């Protein structure tokens, strides 16, 4: 149980393109979803926390207009990287949780490469 | 100073060896702690939670020292399949907000 699916797993696109990444909880209802980013040889950094039906809470230094998060249902959250540039190339990972004090279940990540 | 600090390694050990990883955290508000395992270019997977009383899961033993703000992971009888990066993680906000260390790389060799 507790499967989180992330799609796509790999994206390569040109600079200036907007990219949407989906995160789905397949067998549970996720009241909270998290978006992380991991640059090579660095730790996972939390970008934002989203609760179903409300606006996401962004971490300091993460531009909310650049990284649009939508959590419209208890099983789906999306992250849109708008007008992506090479410096946005990274490994983006989502996780989902049923609530406070509950473990986070991670998706298998999306490797984004902007040319 | 990073909020969660780990020795990046790599630790190269022979199969069957016992290996220990350490981690320190600076946020005294951290309430929960975990060890995650991350294979190359994959998502992290929860290995075990860490409790003050110490906890064991098969070949893996985790320990938390709140006074020293120190966490450890001991792996006994290392297997080739244990080769991965081990991430020390602190949780705040009811454990919901996770702060990851950069990880310690383990390579188990024949």
């Amino acid at each position: 149980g507790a499967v989180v699916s992330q799609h796509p797993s790999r994206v390569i696109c040109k600079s200036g393109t907007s990219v949407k990444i989906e995160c789905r909880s397949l067998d549970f209802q996720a009241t909270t979803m998290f978006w992380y980013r991991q640059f090579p040889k660095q730790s996972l950094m939390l970008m934002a926390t989203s609760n179903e039906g409300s606006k996401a809470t962004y971490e300091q230094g993460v531009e909310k207009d650049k990284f649009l998060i939508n959590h419209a249902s208890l099983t789906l959250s999306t992250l849109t990287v708008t007008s992506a540039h090479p410096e946005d190339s990274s490994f983006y990972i989502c996780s989902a949780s049923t609530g406070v004090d509950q473990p986070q279940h991670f998706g298998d990540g999306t490797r984004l490469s902007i040319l | 100073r990073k909020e969660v600090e780990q020795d990046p390694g790599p630790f190269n050990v022979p199969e069957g060896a016992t290996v220990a990883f350490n981690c320190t955290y600076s946020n005294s508000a951290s309430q929960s702690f975990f060890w995650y395992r991350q294979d190359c270019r994959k998502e992290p997977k929860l290995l075990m939670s860490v409790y003050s009383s110490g906890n064991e899961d098969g070949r893996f033993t985790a320990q938390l020292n709140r006074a020293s703000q120190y966490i450890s992971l001991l792996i006994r009888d290392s297997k080739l399949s244990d080769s991965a990066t081990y991430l020390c993680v602190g949780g705040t906000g009811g454990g919901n907000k996770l702060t990851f260390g950069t990880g310690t790389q383990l390579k188990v060799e024949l």
Side-chain angles (χ1 to χ4, degrees):
Chain A
V3 177
V4 176
S5 172
Q6 200 170 326
H7 178 80
S9 57
R10 185 82 164 97
V11 181
I12 303 172
C13 54
K14 293 180 180 179
S15 185
T17 308
S18 291
V19 179
K20 180 186 279 189
I21 302 170
E22 291 187 350
C23 179
R24 293 180 186 273
S25 56
L26 298 185
D27 54 359
F28 67 100
Q29 293 190 322
T31 54
T32 308
M33 286 187 170
F34 305 84
W35 287 97
Y36 296 83
R37 181 169 53 181
Q38 185 178 31
F39 292 107
K41 298 193 185 299
Q42 294 188 27
S43 57
L44 273 77
M45 296 297 294
L46 180 65
M47 299 174 68
T49 303
S50 75
N51 292 298
E52 185 264 338
S54 60
K55 289 184 179 178
T57 302
Y58 289 80
E59 295 299 303
Q60 192 172 11
V62 179
E63 300 174 54
K64 62 180 182 182
D65 296 328
K66 169 81 173 173
F67 300 99
L68 302 178
I69 292 172
N70 184 286
H71 190 168
S73 77
L74 285 171
T75 59
L76 173 65
S77 176
T78 60
L79 167 69
T80 302
V81 184
T82 60
S83 187
H85 292 286
E87 59 267 27
D88 297 322
S89 300
S90 187
F91 189 46
Y92 291 85
I93 310 174
C94 72
S95 71
S97 167
T98 54
V100 173
D101 284 343
Q102 298 304 310
Q104 293 184 29
H105 304 282
F106 285 83
D108 41 16
T110 296
R111 198 159 297 279
L112 175 63
S113 299
I114 307 297
L115 304 177
Chain B
R1 185 186 172 189
K2 293 177 184 173
E3 202 167 311
V4 178
E5 295 212 52
Q6 296 179 251
D7 180 346
F11 284 58
N12 298 312
V13 302
E15 204 175 10
T18 295
V19 61
F21 303 140
N22 302 320
C23 165
T24 57
Y25 63 95
S26 60
N27 186 355
S28 56
S30 296
Q31 300 155 326
S32 50
F33 301 90
F34 312 90
W35 283 101
Y36 277 76
R37 170 196 170 127
Q38 187 174 27
D39 292 288
C40 188
R41 302 172 77 84
K42 299 281 190 180
E43 79 281 15
K45 294 184 188 294
L46 178 64
L47 182 65
M48 59 197 305
S49 300
V50 189
Y51 305 111
S52 297
S53 54
N55 49 303
E56 189 173 306
D57 183 359
R59 298 181 293 109
F60 300 85
T61 302
Q63 192 77 47
L64 164 65
N65 184 322
R66 286 190 186 273
S68 303
Q69 297 189 187
Y70 169 96
I71 303 157
S72 65
L73 176 68
L74 183 76
I75 305 175
R76 291 180 298 278
D77 188 23
S78 301
K79 311 289 184 193
L80 293 175
S81 56
D82 293 334
S83 298
T85 297
Y86 290 83
L87 307 173
C88 178
V89 184
T92 55
N96 248 12
K97 183 172 178 181
L98 300 182
T99 301
F100 286 79
T102 51
T104 298
Q105 189 179 10
L106 171 66
K107 295 181 181 177
V108 182
E109 303 162 332
L110 286 172

